[in-house]
Amino acid sequence: MSLYSLLYDSLFLPLAAAARRRRYHQLRAFLERSQWWPAERLREFQWSELRKLLEIAFRSVPYYRRKYADVGARFEDIRSWDDFRRLPVLTRAEVNRHREELFPADFRGRRMPHATGGSTGEPVRFYRTRESYDWRLAATHRAYSWSGYRPGERTLYLWAAPLPTVSRWAAWKSCCHDLLERRLVIPTWLQNEALWQQAYQRALRFRPRYLVGYVSSLLGFARFLARRRARMPRLCSVIAAAEPLTPAVRAFLSETFDAPIFETYGSREFMSIGAECELHCGLHLHAENLVVETSSREPDQPGDILITDLHNLGTVFIRYAIGDAGRLADRPCACGRGLPLLESVDGRTADLIELPDGRTVSGLFFVHLLKELPEVLQYQVRQEEPERLTLLLVLARELSAPSRALLESELRKVLGETPYEIRSVARIPPGPSGKHQPVVGLRASAVNARPSEIP
Ligand SMILES: [Zn+2]
């Protein structure tokens, strides 16, 4: 850790939080300790926070009062995790439709409006409180700390989310914040050779110790470096955000940047949801701030990811279907942290391709199939006409004969008679929200909710 980062993190940030009467620092210290609690103790803490939240929801959040009364659920009946799991799921559409009924009727604090980035889908609009922001910022900093990062370390961000239009005052504040925190943020939603050349030149001058980016941006930059046989200044770690990371991409990034890759999972609604520790065996979830479940009955089977935010009374999210599919891990991590693990985030549940014969193929089919091909760095399934599918592949090297045979036989099994074409391309442009879109279908909904915010 550099001297600057030590002073910034242990002196400046706590003083700044105290001066603004914020709880960030206490929460950060708490999360640093609680991650080492045994899993049972964390579960008990989570349950007591959840009971407090449910009591508020049942008694004074108008929408939940109605929703739960309709299914005959009463607060007194929620005595176990199984009881909790019987509560109905909250959808993105419900949040948008009932936003003004999703906070306690007697809430008097400030609620800050926020929205997820939407591309072809509708963004989710919600509120968050200062209290919840302190929780999520502390959780994000804890998650990043597992890669060795501390606030104040020189960090290059390759960030693909289009930046919102803000006032000059807000832009100035953000610029000062970047300077103090020693962040260089390079927007990457429009990627081309000139952008990467400029990013590389700036990186050489800035000498970052950490690199944080959307997976697709890291991939674009790494491919540029590999083509030019150029090397980045020595990095401690690379933090991959916002999009699923396949083993082939991880290996390519790690080799090109010559640094370990840490996968993270976050969203605009909750900021950091989970991240890898130094052992890289699943994503540790922030159990003190969130309850993360899946719709699957078996703990380690894939299902829709459902999230409850224990501390945001601005918009109360209980069992919210975030729109991703994933698998929980039913095992402890050898690092000794008691935090539960998410085995993998598989992709967007809303990505669908409708075939001419009326059948629908989930985008997750392509996720699982293409994960098996070590040559594939990135892909996109495009359906521009009902009867024609194009599979664009960005390849690290040419497909081997066994890979091609596997790809063609699996596609044929699922697509039947629908004609398709496989095309190798140099790059795939991102979607309108800046994120890589694995499926662009006639009916595909590409609602983007996953880019976590820059902390
Ligand atoms: Zn661990």
Side-chain angles (χ1 to χ4, degrees), residues 1-13 148-154 180-182 209-210:
M1 194 195 298
S2 65
L3 179 63
Y4 179 88
S5 134
L6 181 70
L7 291 173
Y8 181 79
D9 192 29
S10 50
L11 206 63
F12 178 80
L13 280 185
Y149 168 88
R150 286 281 179 283
E153 292 283 9
R154 286 179 180 280
L180 269 176
E181 201 146 317
R182 301 206 296 179
R209 293 178 39 88
Y210 294 86

Side-chain angles (χ1 to χ4, degrees), residues 99 102-104 107 111 127-129 311-316:
R99 193 165 50 245
L102 274 167
F103 65 99
F107 181 78
R111 301 188 309 141
Y127 296 96
R128 75 179 179 202
T129 59
H311 301 113
N312 183 16
L313 294 183
T315 293
V316 177

Side-chain angles (χ1 to χ4, degrees), residues 147-293:
S147 71
Y149 168 88
R150 286 281 179 283
E153 292 283 9
R154 286 179 180 280
T155 304
L156 171 65
Y157 284 83
L158 299 179
W159 216 242
L163 301 175
T165 319
V166 291
S167 64
R168 282 173 88 168
W169 167 243
W172 185 81
K173 263 195 352 192
S174 152
C175 184
C176 288
H177 192 195
D178 285 350
L179 270 176
L180 269 176
E181 201 146 317
R182 301 206 296 179
R183 306 193 297 206
L184 173 62
V185 182
I186 299 188
T188 54
W189 68 88
L190 280 176
Q191 298 174 12
N192 56 28
E193 203 71 2
L195 172 82
W196 297 132
Q197 179 63 38
Q198 189 203 36
Y200 180 54
Q201 292 304 330
R202 293 180 72 186
L204 288 180
R205 287 197 297 275
F206 182 66
R207 289 176 292 108
R209 293 178 39 88
Y210 294 86
L211 171 60
V212 181
Y214 278 41
V215 172
S216 53
S217 303
L218 294 173
L219 181 59
F221 191 40
R223 296 186 76 231
F224 166 84
L225 295 176
R227 278 198 300 280
R228 299 287 179 98
R229 296 182 196 281
R231 297 195 74 80
M232 276 287 280
R234 186 99 192 106
L235 290 169
C236 298
S237 341
V238 176
I239 298 174
E243 294 151 333
L245 183 67
T246 63
V249 172
R250 181 194 288 268
F252 179 70
L253 294 180
S254 174
E255 192 189 319
T256 313
F257 292 122
D258 192 20
I261 311 297
F262 288 81
E263 186 178 4
T264 61
Y265 174 43
S267 79
R268 286 267 172 89
E269 296 95 320
F270 310 109
M271 282 172 68
S272 180
I273 297 169
E276 282 182 341
C277 71
E278 60 282 2
L279 298 186
H280 305 278
C281 58
L283 299 131
H284 279 295
L285 298 163
H286 300 293
E288 306 93 329
N289 190 42
L290 303 171
V291 178
V292 181
E293 328 156 63

